[in-house]
Amino acid sequence: LKVLRFSNSAMSFWGAVIKPGQRVTVSDSQGDLLHLSQACLSNPKGEGKTYLRVEHDKKELTLACLVKDTQEHCHLDLFFSVADVTVFHVEGKNDVHLTGYFEPTVREDSEDEAEPKAAQVGKKQAEVQDTPAKAVKGAGDNPQRSASDAPPAKKAKVAAAVEEGPQRPADEAAYVAVLKKLLAAKKKLTLAEINTVIVKPAGVPKLKNLVKKYKGLSIEDGVVTLAA
């Protein structure tokens, strides 16, 4: 029995040599998804059928039936959440090589977690706007000189910093319009960036659902762009 796993930052290769009667248990503490790509016989000698089976979610299912000189390999495109115990085993006379890769789970709530950032930014901007100007002390100047006496260029920067904040569209249609306008200028935005600069109105669905509803938007791997 051999089980191989090679990792990188995005996904990791997984492979196993399963002999007849042996059981391979797959689990991962990070809750990854296991994608099975292919099963094939390894130097088959025995005649008859070789079955690749899986035990998952309290069920046993047959994934492939392999036969020497007839059907020695089988392409697979199956995902297993290995947060639960997943067991592969072989029935027959030949070894089976099973290959695939681990793919990190995409968190569906990533968009919702980013939304409070926009509210926090808006709160900080309001606090800055409501805070009285503090005395500014400069060399050779009156130590009680206020911020209102600062040079015009500096006052303009302060005003811009106060006024700049998340946009707050009134409804779903306005939200989509603001989003498209930003994408036209920025080309692409992550979910976190969007929810920092736009406050989503109550009742507006997640972006992955808006993309299906409105033409002209596209989302892939958490990045939103204008559709071609």
Side-chain angles (χ1 to χ4, degrees), residues 3 40 80 119 137 154 160 167 174 187:
V3 178
C40 67
F80 292 90
K137 183 177 181 180
K154 186 173 182 179
Q167 300 188 51
K187 304 302 181 184

Coordinates of all heavy atoms in Angstrom, one line a residue, residues 3 40 80 119 137 154 160 167 174 187:
V3 N 0.6 5.6 -0.5 CA -0.2 6.8 -0.6 C 0.7 7.9 -0.7 O 1.6 8.1 0.1 CB -1.1 7.0 0.6 CG1 -1.9 8.3 0.4 CG2 -2.1 5.8 0.8
C40 N -6.7 3.1 -12.7 CA -6.2 2.2 -13.7 C -5.5 1.0 -13.1 O -5.1 1.0 -12.0 CB -5.2 3.0 -14.6 SG -3.6 3.4 -13.8
F80 N -14.9 14.5 -3.3 CA -15.3 14.0 -2.0 C -14.9 15.0 -0.9 O -13.7 15.4 -0.9 CB -14.6 12.6 -1.8 CG -15.1 11.5 -2.6 CD1 -14.4 11.3 -3.9 CD2 -16.1 10.7 -2.3 CE1 -14.9 10.3 -4.7 CE2 -16.6 9.7 -3.1 CZ -15.9 9.5 -4.3
A119 N -18.9 48.9 6.6 CA -19.6 49.6 7.7 C -18.6 50.2 8.7 O -18.8 51.4 9.2 CB -20.5 48.7 8.4
K137 N 0.2 73.1 16.7 CA 1.4 73.9 17.1 C 2.5 73.8 16.1 O 2.9 72.7 15.7 CB 1.9 73.4 18.5 CG 3.0 74.2 19.0 CD 3.4 73.7 20.4 CE 4.6 74.5 21.0 NZ 5.0 74.1 22.3
K154 N -3.7 71.9 2.3 CA -3.8 70.9 3.3 C -5.3 70.7 3.7 O -5.7 69.6 4.0 CB -3.0 71.3 4.6 CG -3.0 70.3 5.7 CD -2.1 70.7 6.8 CE -2.0 69.7 7.9 NZ -1.1 70.1 8.9
A160 N -11.0 65.8 1.5 CA -11.2 64.7 0.6 C -11.1 63.4 1.5 O -11.9 62.4 1.2 CB -10.0 64.6 -0.4
Q167 N -19.6 53.7 -0.9 CA -20.8 54.1 -1.5 C -22.0 53.3 -0.9 O -21.8 52.1 -0.6 CB -20.7 54.0 -3.0 CG -19.6 54.8 -3.6 CD -19.6 54.8 -5.1 OE1 -20.6 55.1 -5.7 NE2 -18.5 54.5 -5.7
A174 N -29.3 49.8 -8.2 CA -28.3 50.9 -8.0 C -27.0 50.2 -7.6 O -25.9 50.7 -8.0 CB -28.8 51.9 -6.9
K187 N -11.2 47.4 -13.8 CA -11.1 46.1 -14.6 C -11.5 44.9 -13.7 O -12.2 44.1 -14.2 CB -9.6 45.9 -15.1 CG -9.1 47.1 -15.9 CD -10.1 47.4 -17.1 CE -9.5 48.5 -18.0 NZ -10.5 48.9 -19.1

